[in-house]
Amino acid sequence: MSDDIEDITDAWIKSSASMLGLSIDAAWLPSIRANVEVTFRLAKLVDEFPLPDEAEPAPVFGA
């Protein structure tokens, strides 16, 4: 990952934490960044999954 992307991700993490009133220890930033990167990568997979226009949401979810 490029330094620019890491800087942008770190800035996003810090600003999000600030808006939520959270403090982040600098030692945790690499782990948080890794989690955010995985989350965004998985979100991209979901977003790119093609669904037909007729697709309906499931009426009941079960675990």
Side-chain angles (χ1 to χ4, degrees):
M1 177 175 287
S2 73
D3 289 337
D4 289 340
I5 297 296
E6 284 187 9
D7 291 342
I8 292 168
T9 304
D10 289 353
W12 181 82
I13 292 167
K14 290 174 184 177
S15 65
S16 297
S18 176
M19 287 189 317
L20 294 169
L22 302 173
S23 61
I24 297 177
D25 186 335
W28 283 98
L29 196 56
S31 297
I32 295 169
R33 184 186 325 113
N35 185 286
V36 167
E37 290 167 0
V38 169
T39 300
F40 285 167
R41 189 171 61 240
L42 293 174
K44 183 179 177 190
L45 289 174
V46 171
D47 184 53
E48 291 175 346
F49 187 82
L51 290 175
D53 290 336
E54 302 79 29
E56 300 265 344
V60 177
F61 293 93

